[in-house]
Amino acid sequence: MKMIRPIAFAAALAASAAGLTPAFAQPADPSAARPPGVTVNASATATLANDRMYAWLRAEKEDANAATAAADVNARMARVLAELKKQPAINVASTGYSTDPIVDKDKPKRWRVSQSVRLDSGDFAVLAEAVGRLQGEGLLLGGLGYGLSDAARKRAEETLSRDAIKAWQQRAQVAAEALGFGAWRVGSVHVQTNDGPRPYMMAMRSEMKTMGVASAPAPVAADAGTTDVTVGVSGDAVLSSPR
């Protein structure tokens, strides 16, 4: 008996035997309709003088009785905080409180109680004077640091964003011409700003004398330094009009 095959099936079978793929079975090429493009990166950086000064100080006491040590630290820190609140140019924030046992061989157990604060100000002279005064009152200076205020960073980033975008556009133009295209348009573009380093702390060695209060030190002196602010732009330039 003669077998009759559908025409479409027979055509597909013949194409397969010839090593060809029928047109209706070919997957669409997702890149076929995608216009050519190039990824471009650019950035702009400014070096700014630090306009904030930071200081880390602590009140510390060692005693055989933890409660006695705590009472001393609490009373001194309460006086310090009350004094600093009278100076609006200085911001004050408590940063830690600890009570730790001290165990030395052949010595009675003791306790060390410590409370620390962070001070910051845009007036370096006022903060330096306050730090020196507090050192004279028995507080220990853990470190100094400098950084940019939020306002100064924001102003810089606004200017740098415009500069970085302009640089990105210039690079996109150069890339388009070098690749043989007469025109281009902006595709997907991202603008990134760096948060910058946190105010760095320059460690300072502090020692307590036997009586717990050192003589008044020389005024604090340090270089505020600078901070780099960078804005980066990255994205795609879509190319057209090939030459």
Side-chain angles (χ1 to χ4, degrees):
M1 181 177 178
K2 187 176 180 180
M3 182 178 294
I4 301 176
R5 300 175 181 271
I7 295 177
F9 178 76
L13 183 62
S16 176
L20 303 175
T21 302
F24 62 79
Q26 291 181 351
D29 184 358
S31 63
R34 182 185 304 166
V38 61
T39 300
V40 180
N41 298 300
S43 64
T45 299
T47 299
L48 305 179
N50 290 322
D51 62 348
R52 300 295 296 182
M53 179 179 180
Y54 300 83
W56 289 262
L57 297 106
R58 70 183 187 275
E60 189 171 284
K61 178 67 175 179
E62 292 183 13
D63 197 275
N65 186 289
T68 301
D72 178 86
V73 168
N74 295 348
R76 281 194 289 150
M77 190 57 72
R79 290 194 299 270
V80 167
L81 294 177
E83 178 182 339
L84 290 172
K85 286 181 179 179
K86 298 176 182 178
Q87 296 184 270
I90 300 177
N91 297 325
V92 185
S94 298
T95 57
Y97 193 107
S98 63
T99 302
D100 302 304
I102 303 173
V103 181
D104 292 328
K105 187 177 180 180
D106 301 326
K107 290 185 179 180
K109 183 178 180 180
R110 304 187 311 282
W111 294 88
R112 178 186 293 119
V113 176
S114 176
Q115 182 176 1
S116 55
V117 294
R118 189 192 76 170
L119 315 181
D120 73 90
S121 177
D123 191 326
F124 294 179
V126 168
L127 185 55
E129 188 278 331
V131 169
R133 185 175 67 255
L134 293 173
Q135 285 182 287
E137 295 176 6
L139 265 67
L140 305 177
L141 178 60
L144 291 174
Y146 297 88
L148 285 179
S149 64
D150 292 340
R153 181 177 294 278
K154 182 178 180 181
R155 288 194 300 269
E157 288 177 346
E158 289 176 350
T159 299
L160 291 172
S161 292
R162 290 189 288 268
D163 294 343
I165 291 172
K166 184 179 296 184
W168 184 90
Q169 292 172 326
Q170 293 172 347
R171 287 193 174 187
Q173 180 66 35
V174 170
E177 294 175 354
L179 292 170
F181 290 85
W184 64 275
R185 61 181 175 82
V186 178
S188 176
V189 175
H190 303 278
V191 179
Q192 304 93 23
T193 59
N194 67 331
D195 292 335
R198 295 295 91 189
Y200 60 91
M201 181 172 69
M202 299 184 300
M204 312 285 288
R205 183 179 178 183
S206 299
E207 295 182 355
M208 295 180 66
K209 293 190 174 182
T210 304
M211 296 303 293
V213 178
S215 58
V220 174
D223 183 0
T226 59
T227 293
D228 288 342
V229 179
T230 300
V231 174
V233 178
S234 63
D236 299 326
V238 181
L239 307 176
S240 60
S241 303
R243 294 171 180 172

